[in-house]
């Protein structure tokens, strides 16, 4: 059974991301438009699961070379994980499509999310990450919610995410509104 285990922020996470990014850049070359450190390990001072989340943004999600090259490099393709969830979108909306990979056997635990550049699910983790980085009190509140949920639902992953994900969506929509207001 999978348990929710959060650890305090680790100063080595950015360096571990850079090492994986370097491998992905070598593997994918120009297919990777950008490679970003996302998730809680990308936010200084935030407790997180000890997993490096990475987003690889590509021009076309249906380019077969992406899967081919990553699998050849040892990344484990999880074909059944092919979309994200977001309040306000239907589950089959193309804006939520993605490819998902796990790290090569014997290497640092990482979740590799491949998303098409410009889609809402590609924008979401970057805007969410930056919103937490730029707003200390919101980051602290989010950290507190994660910690409390992890303690209450340590062995109930579904319950943990059933509460955490809509809260994250709320923060995303707030960050999106603020950005639009700022841009105008």
């Amino acid at each position: 059974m999978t348990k929710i285990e959060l650890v305090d922020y680790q100063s080595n996470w950015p360096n571990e991301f850079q090492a994986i990014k370097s491998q992905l850049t070598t593997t994918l070359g120009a297919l990777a438009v950008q490679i970003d450190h996302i998730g809680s390990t990308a936010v200084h001072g935030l407790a997180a699961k000890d997993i490096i989340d990475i987003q690889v943004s590509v021009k076309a999600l249906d380019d077969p070379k992406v899967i081919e090259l990553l699998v050849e490099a040892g990344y484990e393709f999880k074909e059944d994980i092919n979309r994200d969830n977001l309040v306000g979108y239907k589950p089959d909306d193309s804006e939520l499509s993605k490819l998902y990979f796990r790290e090569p056997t014997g290497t640092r635990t990482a979740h590799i999310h491949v998303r098409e550049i410009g889609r809402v699910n590609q924008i979401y983790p970057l805007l969410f990450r930056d919103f937490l980085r730029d707003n200390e009190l919101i980051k602290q509140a989010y950290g507190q919610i994660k910690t409390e949920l992890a303690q209450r639902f340590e062995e109930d992953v579904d319950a943990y995410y059933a509460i955490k994900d809509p809260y994250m969506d709320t923060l995303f929509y707030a960050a999106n509104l603020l950005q639009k207001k700022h841009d105008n």
Side-chain angles (χ1 to χ4, degrees), residues 6-169:
L6 300 181
V7 298
D8 290 336
Y9 180 81
Q10 305 291 306
S11 61
N12 58 320
W13 285 338
N15 291 334
E16 291 175 335
F17 160 72
Q18 288 297 333
I20 299 167
K21 178 182 178 179
S22 178
Q23 295 164 351
L24 289 167
T25 300
T26 299
T27 299
L28 293 170
L31 286 174
V33 176
Q34 65 189 61
I35 300 173
D36 296 288
H37 189 184
I38 59 170
S40 294
T41 61
V43 180
H44 182 74
L46 188 60
K49 291 178 288 183
D50 191 21
I51 298 166
I52 303 297
D53 281 299
I54 297 174
Q55 176 170 269
V56 177
S57 299
V58 297
K59 289 180 185 172
L61 202 56
D62 59 358
D63 185 336
K65 287 296 276 179
V66 173
I67 297 171
E68 181 183 318
L69 291 170
L70 287 171
V71 169
E72 282 177 9
Y75 290 89
E76 183 183 354
F77 179 44
K78 300 286 193 172
E79 194 170 351
D80 58 320
I81 302 174
N82 57 18
R83 49 198 339 84
D84 293 305
N85 299 306
L86 178 58
V87 169
Y89 285 82
K90 293 182 180 177
D92 62 348
D93 194 310
S94 64
E95 287 290 309
L96 303 178
S97 296
K98 73 175 180 180
L99 302 172
Y100 177 76
F101 298 83
R102 291 295 309 268
E103 72 282 350
T105 303
T107 64
R108 207 271 181 240
T109 304
H111 294 175
I112 315 299
H113 306 265
V114 180
R115 298 181 175 112
E116 194 168 305
I117 195 119
R119 288 191 176 170
V120 70
N121 69 339
Q122 185 266 339
I123 296 165
Y124 181 117
L126 302 175
L127 186 59
F128 186 82
R129 176 201 66 197
D130 294 346
F131 189 61
L132 292 179
R133 286 176 173 175
D134 295 342
N135 296 279
E136 183 63 31
L137 292 176
I138 293 170
K139 176 180 79 175
Q140 287 176 22
Y142 177 60
Q144 188 174 338
I145 284 178
K146 283 178 46 170
T147 301
E148 186 68 28
L149 288 173
Q151 290 170 356
R152 289 177 186 256
F153 302 111
E154 180 181 29
E155 296 190 28
D156 189 346
V157 174
D158 292 337
Y160 174 85
Y161 286 110
I163 297 168
K164 184 178 99 64
D165 286 355
Y167 179 75
M168 289 176 62
D169 293 352

